[in-house]
Structures are given as C-alpha cells and as structure tokens.
Amino acid sequence: MSLALDAAAQDLLFREAHTANTFSGEPVTDEQIQAVYDLVKYAPTAFNQSPLRIVLIRSEEARERLAPLMAEGNREKTRNAPLVAILATDNEFHEELPELFPHFPQAKDVFFAERPVREQSAALNGSLQAGYFILGIRAAGLAAGPMTGFDFAGVQKEFLDGDHTPLMIVNIGKPGEGASYPRSPRLPYEQVVTTV
C-alpha cells in the first residue's frame, strides 16, 4: 500500500465524500466545529500566517440576511443547512506574525508592509486553510457544501469589514436525502502529472 492512511479514512476524506446539497435536521455543535478547527489549524502556510477567519451563521436572523446574497440556486440549501460558515481572510494577518513566526518577527514589516501584498498572500494561504477546513468537516463525519456563488461585496458589507475578504461559504451538516449528485469524472494521473 502506497498510503499511510487506512482505506476507511481514505474513503471518509476523499473517495466517498461528496459536496452536500441537502442536509438532515441533525444540528452541528460548537464542540464539533472547535474539534475541526483544532485539527485543521495545522495546515501549512507561508510564514505560518493564519489569515483564515470563520463566521458561523446560526441564527435565523443572520441566515435571512445571508440568503438574498446567495446565488438563486444556493439560497434554499443555505437556508436549510444546519450550520453555515463564511470563510474569509483577514488582510491584517501580518499583525500576528511576531507571535506566529517568532524566529523572524520582522517578517511582518519586511514582507507584508504593503496591503496588496498582504491581500494576495491572504487569498492564497487562506484558501489553503479553507481546503483543510473542508477536510476537517469530513473528518468529523459531516458533509460540506462549499460555494462561491454569492455576492462577495454584499457578504463583506453585511458580515465582515474592509479588512476581511470573503473566500467561500460552506454549508455544513449530516447529508440528507439525495444530498449529492453522482460523482463527476476526474482527470487521470497521466493527464495531470509531468516528470522532468
């Protein structure tokens, strides 16, 4: 076997995992999300930066503020998901670098003094963290429905501020009836990997 992860874990995280479009009514607890975060916070990032920020949408009031900002095809599943998370980046992440990257605390000013540089780095590294978050959701035995079909500027205005940029919205819960579509094809190894 070429992988250290056993077959059941491979299935849970990858082969049998699908994007969920419907969910059961079973709630997602704060303890589950805390356990997910405590696992995925170890995602690799440049300079150990941690730009990902997560806004959990639990209240009906917040959900009703979010729903009109979703693309039409995403509204009902967002209204009905047990939990919705807005994944965003903190473009002022560099302020934490002296603590997170203590062997080179001046990285904050040497590499990230300019806002456009921070925004680009936050987008890349926050996306890495978001991918790990989705795997963490799967590791908790839950399903994720990540979406980018929404009004980015509207979500930023309604739920964030000028220092935070939305990346994606993720519906979270136990899959419901007909939760996923049949698996779509993926590119084969030979079409993706080149050796030089």
Side-chain angles (χ1 to χ4, degrees):
M1 181 165 169
S2 300
L3 300 173
L5 205 60
D6 69 49
Q10 293 172 39
D11 287 344
L12 178 69
L13 297 176
F14 299 99
R15 287 191 290 260
E16 299 299 323
H18 290 266
T19 295
N21 294 292
T22 65
F23 297 91
S24 75
E26 187 176 332
V28 177
T29 67
D30 288 335
E31 292 77 17
Q32 286 173 300
I33 297 302
Q34 173 84 49
V36 166
Y37 178 74
D38 286 341
L39 180 65
V40 305
K41 67 185 178 185
Y42 298 108
T45 58
F47 297 94
N48 199 37
Q49 62 184 270
S50 296
L52 183 69
R53 298 295 180 269
I54 302 166
V55 178
L56 299 177
I57 304 295
R58 286 202 180 275
S59 72
E60 283 305 312
E61 179 270 332
R63 200 176 294 256
E64 287 307 313
R65 287 170 37 217
L66 178 60
L69 301 171
M70 302 302 296
E72 187 174 341
N74 293 332
R75 284 183 192 146
E76 283 311 305
K77 56 187 170 184
T78 300
R79 279 190 172 107
N80 296 318
L83 181 63
V84 180
I86 299 171
L87 303 189
T89 59
D90 180 356
N91 295 308
E92 298 300 313
F93 69 86
H94 68 306
E95 297 295 344
E96 297 151 352
L97 286 181
E99 175 188 348
L100 296 175
F101 205 60
H103 52 284
F104 186 41
Q106 57 271 42
K108 170 190 171 212
D109 299 311
V110 172
F111 294 107
F112 300 108
E114 302 291 329
R115 174 72 180 237
V117 172
R118 290 197 305 273
E119 288 176 353
Q120 183 179 21
S121 188
L124 173 61
N125 290 283
S127 294
L128 283 169
Q129 290 183 288
Y132 270 72
F133 180 79
I134 292 167
L135 283 175
I137 294 297
R138 292 174 172 183
L142 300 168
M147 302 168 289
T148 56
F150 62 91
D151 176 351
F152 280 72
V155 166
Q156 183 179 37
K157 181 178 179 184
E158 190 69 31
F159 293 97
L160 305 167
D161 60 33
D163 288 333
H164 294 81
T165 304
L167 286 171
M168 67 183 69
I169 293 174
V170 183
N171 292 332
I172 303 167
K174 290 281 188 183
E177 284 292 314
S180 57
Y181 304 118
R183 173 85 67 204
S184 294
R186 299 299 197 268
L187 294 175
Y189 177 88
E190 297 77 16
Q191 196 172 338
V192 174
V193 179
T194 304
T195 302
V196 294

